[in-house]
Amino acid sequence: MWNYRRLLLLLLLTFGAAIAGVVVGRVFVAPERPVENRLHELLHSQLDLDSKQHAQLEAIEKSFAVRRQALELELRADNARLAEAIETEHGYGPLVAAAVDRSHQAMGDLQKETLEHIFAMRAVLRPDQAAKFDQTVVKALTAKER
């Protein structure tokens, strides 16, 4: 009976330590949220949007989600082509260089589309809302650790 109680106590202590580890990780070690998440949180909870603004932003977000998914698929395809080029050349040759250039082009396209999306959302805002939005964008882009 005594060993059963010890085992139960050990299991409870282990479970408690695991929960504490998760809490500490989420509170103190969690990575910075992406700029997009911070902007969307700001838009939907702190800027007091009217119903027209909500509708406009929802349409902008749906459109961008489709475009972003297409660009991310393109990036994955570029990574596969890069892997194939590396496997073929076993070094930094013309196939690898071309695959890297294609990948950089896709990354640049995604960044440009993301910026266009951010500016499209900003265009829906009133001047007072846009000022808060701009502060969040600048803070996110200039944070020391991202």
Side-chain angles (χ1 to χ4, degrees), residues 14 25 39:
T14 303
L39 289 177

Side-chain angles (χ1 to χ4, degrees), residues 12 25 36 44 63 65 96 100 107 115 118 127 144-145:
L12 287 173
E36 295 166 4
H44 296 292
S63 174
V96 171
V100 167
M107 283 186 248
L115 288 169
I118 287 171
K144 289 184 181 176
E145 292 186 28

Side-chain angles (χ1 to χ4, degrees), residues 4-102:
Y4 175 73
R5 286 185 180 166
R6 279 187 171 177
L7 180 61
L8 184 60
L9 180 61
L10 180 63
L11 288 173
L12 287 173
L13 287 172
T14 303
F15 180 74
I19 294 297
V22 169
V23 169
V24 167
R26 300 276 285 173
V27 172
F28 298 107
V29 185
E32 184 86 14
R33 290 174 297 141
V35 173
E36 295 166 4
N37 291 350
R38 285 181 273 172
L39 289 177
H40 287 214
E41 180 183 319
L42 174 76
L43 284 170
H44 296 292
S45 66
Q46 298 177 21
L47 291 185
D48 193 30
L49 301 173
D50 61 35
S51 58
K52 181 180 176 185
Q53 288 174 311
H54 274 290
Q56 290 173 312
L57 288 171
E58 186 174 322
I60 290 167
E61 289 174 7
K62 283 182 182 178
S63 174
F64 178 65
V66 171
R67 184 65 182 134
R68 183 178 67 199
Q69 184 177 20
L71 289 167
E72 286 173 350
L73 288 172
E74 187 177 329
L75 277 170
R76 282 191 213 111
D78 286 338
N79 284 341
R81 285 190 285 273
L82 176 59
E84 185 178 317
I86 289 169
E87 192 171 52
T88 299
E89 292 185 321
H90 301 290
Y92 195 83
L95 294 176
V96 171
V100 167
D101 289 343
R102 278 193 305 271

Side-chain angles (χ1 to χ4, degrees), residues 96-116:
V96 171
V100 167
D101 289 343
R102 278 193 305 271
S103 178
H104 286 176
Q105 180 64 44
M107 283 186 248
D109 291 345
L110 178 58
Q111 187 175 32
K112 289 174 187 175
E113 292 275 345
T114 301
L115 288 169
E116 287 177 9

